[in-house]
Amino acid sequence: MNILKKQSFLGSQRSETPLQIIIMGPQGSGKGTQAEMLARELGIRHVCTGDLLREMAQKDAKIKEAIDRGELLPPEIVIPLVRKNLMECRKGFVLDGAPRNTEQAQMLGIHIDHVIYLDIPDKKVIERLSSRLQCMECRAIYGKDMPPKVQGKCDKCGSELRHRDDDNPETIRKRLKVFHEETEKVMKYYERKRLLRKVDASGKPEEVFERILKAIKPPARL
Ligand code: AMP
């Protein structure tokens, strides 16, 4: 989207009000990529709870163990960390990775404009995650749909690409189970608040991105 289109997109939002967006979907739905694209497009920040917690895990072995086992961390750790980061986002944010259950949604206590749900079948998730690689330095993600230019090296910073410790089939299945049990209740929670925007997550990243922009674009004024 060019700058003129961007201005007209933002121009029709409530003036001066930052856009506060949650992006949801199972791991491998392209959530991180779409959150990055959206943040860049709208000039707002991408806040990723997985990255915040992995950073914390470097200094805390218990947190690292829970992440490697694919378990959710307690809300008393996650929510204050997320709130602190969101409150620093004066221009708005795309929150990726929380809330994971209704308890977290209720504890969040921050105004939300849209909750984007990326819809994708489990089979496709397992296929995508098994081939996913992440940069150890800048956390950029690569996969079959987005391979790096040089094998094993990050396009952005040239660092080494690796499989994440929690991207193995056993942990993926566990994470999907947790997702279906808990996150779908969160979807219903936001559906009742009329904030849920369901988007088909199949196809190329650019195609999914266009669908997202369409889903959050305010209706034209008469
Ligand atoms: P992700 O990168 O979103 O797949 O998150 C990786 C791991 O971080 C998860 O499997 C959890 O162990 C932990 N995690 C991330 N976000 C949350 C959250 N909102 N609540 C609890 N644990 C989380």
Side-chain angles (χ1 to χ4, degrees), residues 36-150:
E36 278 289 326
M37 290 167 85
L38 200 52
R40 206 177 315 126
E41 184 66 39
L42 302 179
I44 60 183
R45 250 184 70 194
H46 173 200
V47 177
C48 171
T49 60
D51 287 348
L52 294 176
L53 290 166
R54 273 186 288 276
E55 205 179 303
M56 238 183 169
Q58 288 175 4
K59 295 178 204 137
D60 189 323
K62 280 203 176 131
I63 292 184
K64 169 144 179 44
E65 279 164 27
I67 292 175
D68 288 349
R69 284 197 301 264
E71 286 167 11
L72 286 188
L73 287 152
E76 306 79 60
I77 293 183
V78 178
I79 298 303
L81 180 73
V82 171
R83 281 180 56 88
K84 179 181 165 282
N85 276 273
L86 296 186
M87 283 191 290
E88 286 165 6
C89 303
R90 302 206 181 279
K91 292 185 179 163
F93 57 78
V94 186
L95 174 59
D96 159 13
R100 292 280 237 270
N101 50 40
T102 35
E103 187 188 9
Q104 288 190 2
Q106 281 158 352
M107 280 173 78
L108 195 61
I110 284 181
H111 171 82
I112 298 296
D113 296 292
H114 303 280
V115 178
I116 298 160
Y117 176 72
L118 296 176
D119 202 11
I120 185 167
D122 283 6
K123 206 175 137 231
K124 186 83 188 155
V125 167
I126 294 171
E127 193 185 299
R128 278 191 186 173
L129 286 191
S130 308
S131 66
R132 182 161 89 165
L133 292 170
Q134 187 165 33
C135 173
M136 293 296 105
E137 274 308 307
C138 74
R139 304 250 160 235
I141 299 258
Y142 298 88
K144 268 194 198 141
D145 296 340
M146 290 182 299
K149 291 192 185 99
V150 178

Side-chain angles (χ1 to χ4, degrees), residues 97-203:
R100 292 280 237 270
N101 50 40
T102 35
E103 187 188 9
Q104 288 190 2
Q106 281 158 352
M107 280 173 78
L108 195 61
I110 284 181
H111 171 82
I112 298 296
D113 296 292
H114 303 280
V115 178
I116 298 160
Y117 176 72
L118 296 176
D119 202 11
I120 185 167
D122 283 6
K123 206 175 137 231
K124 186 83 188 155
V125 167
I126 294 171
E127 193 185 299
R128 278 191 186 173
L129 286 191
S130 308
S131 66
R132 182 161 89 165
L133 292 170
Q134 187 165 33
C135 173
M136 293 296 105
E137 274 308 307
C138 74
R139 304 250 160 235
I141 299 258
Y142 298 88
K144 268 194 198 141
D145 296 340
M146 290 182 299
K149 291 192 185 99
V150 178
Q151 202 184 352
K153 296 268 176 253
C154 179
D155 291 355
K156 292 182 190 161
C157 70
S159 301
E160 187 191 353
L161 301 181
R162 276 203 223 148
H163 272 290
R164 264 171 44 179
D165 291 346
D166 57 348
D167 274 349
N168 60 71
E170 194 193 331
T171 310
I172 294 169
R173 265 184 228 111
K174 203 162 174 184
R175 279 151 68 197
L176 275 173
K177 188 166 173 275
V178 172
F179 175 80
H180 288 303
E181 280 168 6
E182 295 290 347
T183 317
E184 281 173 8
K185 289 185 206 146
V186 183
M187 275 171 59
K188 296 226 167 73
Y189 173 89
Y190 286 119
E191 199 165 23
R192 283 196 294 273
K193 292 181 181 286
R194 296 175 185 267
L195 294 177
L196 192 73
R197 325 282 178 239
K198 237 183 185 180
V199 173
D200 174 5
S202 61

